Amino acid sequence: MSSAPRLAVVMDPIQAINFAKDSTLAMLLAAQARGFDLLYFEQGDLWLRDGVACGRARPLRVFKDPARWFELGEPSVQRLGDVDVLLMRKDPPFDTEYIYTSYILERAEQQGALVVNRPRGLRDMNEKVFTAWFPQCCAPTLITRDMRNMAEFLAEHGKVVCKPLYGMGGRSIFVIEAGDKNTNVVFETLSDYGSRYAMVQRYIPDIVTTGDSRVILVDGEPVPYALARIPAGNDNRGNLAAGATGIGRPLDDRDRFLAAQIGPTLAAEGMLFVGLDVIGGFVTEINVTSPTGIRELDKQFGLDIAGLLLDAIQRRLARRG
């Protein structure tokens, strides 16, 4: 039996990823290069039995080959707490199924595994709502289910961005100006007629010129370059998944300030890999579930961001044992 350390990943189907852009694949390649044996899980492969976190694992090998980037072995039942590291890289939506999965992963953590990012943090740090813990870093922001509050906020600021609290990749994001006849429809849709919380932020015009920058934090420390995602000419959204163009740039003083304000709190809570979304010097989201963008920065600046994450993981493992 191999004595190599074992790293397991929980992710969306590996056969459906984008080989050139997928950050999870970069992490798996880095782990394999450092001698980790890899195990693969999808969300439906996990369960609890009498308090023990278990899963149907498949051995995984990964390759730097766009025609064949993975190979899976035969499945076997594993106690999740027996693996050394467990990467939670399942994409949102952050729904009840995601929360239930985090409970299983928390039991795995209590039973011995280093889970990245920490399950309790995944539950507690909603990517939109957690910005409220750092108001000094953010533009004016309202989180409410009251459509009158939304309308008053729009009247105050003249132009706003509205979004649900559970999505990703720019889904269901609206930009509204005062006087827009679709305003009530947007508020009704996002709040489900006042029965669901949503976020409304002051519109930051820098999105058009400098884009929505992804600042990556590894164990609380910023990578020295950010990925500025410039919206397509016919769109407001700075999301690669929505057609934005990713252009790397060095961090500026404001980026470093934001990282210094937020990074230590995240690291202390076991959130080793986080993406801050920054527009015009303001944090709009704190991405803790499955941040991306590392492949583009690696390519543009000769970095190895996944290697930095593995360094942080190995430091944590060393402190544990």
Side-chain angles (χ1 to χ4, degrees):
M1 180 179 293
S2 172
S3 61
R6 295 193 297 167
L7 181 144
V9 64
V10 180
M11 61 185 293
D12 291 303
I14 193 169
Q15 66 271 19
I17 66 173
N18 184 321
F19 170 83
K21 294 185 177 182
D22 194 81
S23 295
T24 303
L25 179 60
M27 296 173 187
L28 294 171
L29 287 164
Q32 183 174 270
R34 295 186 182 215
F36 282 88
D37 286 340
L38 305 181
L39 294 173
Y40 170 86
F41 298 96
E42 294 177 18
Q43 197 171 16
D45 293 322
L46 309 180
W47 67 84
L48 284 171
R49 174 64 190 265
D50 301 327
V52 178
C54 301
R56 186 171 292 102
R58 283 173 279 182
L60 171 67
R61 294 181 65 206
V62 287
F63 309 97
K64 296 180 180 180
D65 182 349
R68 176 178 173 266
W69 60 83
F70 73 98
E71 178 182 281
L72 292 172
E74 291 300 313
S76 64
V77 174
Q78 300 282 340
R79 291 169 59 108
L80 302 185
D82 290 343
V83 305
D84 297 281
V85 183
L86 206 165
L87 295 181
M88 176 48 167
R89 293 288 301 174
K90 171 71 179 69
D91 284 343
F94 189 87
D95 53 14
T96 53
E97 291 303 303
Y98 198 106
I99 292 172
Y100 298 148
T101 302
S102 77
Y103 291 136
I104 298 173
L105 297 181
E106 186 165 359
R107 289 298 291 159
E109 178 185 54
Q110 293 167 350
Q111 290 159 7
L114 173 65
V115 182
V116 179
N117 284 322
R118 194 176 184 190
R120 181 167 295 179
L122 293 176
R123 289 197 302 274
D124 290 351
M125 299 177 185
N126 177 276
E127 301 191 328
K128 278 79 170 174
V129 180
F130 196 59
T131 58
W133 271 247
F134 307 96
Q136 73 276 19
C137 300
C138 304
T141 301
L142 171 69
I143 296 171
T144 185
R145 53 195 283 177
D146 189 318
M147 291 182 285
R148 289 171 299 179
N149 287 351
M150 295 178 181
E152 291 168 0
F153 190 87
L154 172 59
E156 177 183 352
H157 294 286
K159 190 172 184 178
V160 298
V161 176
C162 309
K163 62 182 82 171
L165 299 181
Y166 54 81
M168 63 164 288
R171 296 173 188 168
S172 301
I173 292 179
F174 298 88
V175 176
I176 306 175
E177 294 188 58
D180 191 323
K181 292 184 178 179
N182 290 309
T183 297
N184 289 338
V185 174
V186 171
F187 291 163
E188 290 164 1
T189 300
L190 288 181
S191 72
D192 195 13
Y193 293 89
S195 66
R196 187 177 293 168
Y197 281 96
M199 170 181 273
V200 188
Q201 294 173 316
R202 186 185 71 192
Y203 178 79
I204 306 169
D206 305 64
I207 184 67
V208 176
T209 54
T210 58
D212 182 347
S213 291
R214 168 62 53 83
V215 176
I216 295 174
L217 305 180
V218 178
D219 203 5
E221 293 295 325
V223 171
Y225 298 90
L227 186 68
R229 299 161 297 177
I230 311 298
N234 61 349
D235 209 320
N236 287 301
R237 297 170 296 175
N239 303 86
L240 297 179
T245 301
I247 301 173
R249 63 166 180 81
L251 297 190
D252 58 28
D253 289 343
R254 177 65 177 179
D255 297 323
R256 295 187 184 91
F257 167 79
L258 298 173
Q261 293 290 301
I262 298 172
T265 297
L266 295 167
E269 295 298 325
M271 313 307 281
L272 297 191
F273 191 76
V274 176
L276 306 182
D277 287 350
V278 180
I279 304 175
F282 296 104
V283 172
T284 60
E285 296 186 17
I286 301 174
N287 290 271
V288 299
T289 50
S290 58
T292 61
I294 68 177
R295 302 293 289 277
E296 293 85 353
L297 289 175
D298 283 354
K299 182 177 180 180
Q300 292 182 38
F301 299 106
L303 305 177
D304 179 15
I305 299 172
L308 296 177
L309 175 61
L310 266 293
D311 288 342
I313 286 172
Q314 290 181 308
R315 287 194 300 268
R316 296 263 176 155
L317 289 175
R319 290 204 296 266
R320 286 159 62 104

